[in-house]
Amino acid sequence: MGYLWLSKDYEAQTAAKAAQLGKPRLLILDGHNSHCSFEFLEYADAHDIVILCLPSHTTHRLQPCDVGVFGPLNSTWKKQVNKAVLS
């Protein structure tokens, strides 16, 4: 499933920008073993996609913006949207 997502979705959505910049793409994964099949990694290498696998069970530590900034922002945003809809 990871290979299908990489080859059909990620590649299609990021190829033009990568070609425009002339730089490889960085794809950061959570380290789940379904993401890192040989086929997946071979495809990434052939399409200039650099894979960075985070160690398992560490994303909460390695993604401080997700937890510290965007989490509270998302919560506040949802409250404001609900308030506006219910008003």
Side-chain angles (χ1 to χ4, degrees), residues 31-75:
H32 192 274
N33 64 359
S34 69
H35 300 148
C36 295
S37 68
F38 180 75
E39 184 179 40
F40 183 94
L41 296 174
E42 191 174 53
Y43 184 89
D45 185 51
H47 291 85
D48 209 17
I49 302 169
V50 177
I51 303 295
L52 174 64
C53 288
L54 299 175
S56 297
H57 308 292
T58 61
T59 53
H60 65 289
R61 295 273 190 203
L62 298 173
Q63 296 176 337
C65 284
D66 204 29
V67 174
V69 176
F70 298 116
L73 178 63
N74 185 32
S75 177

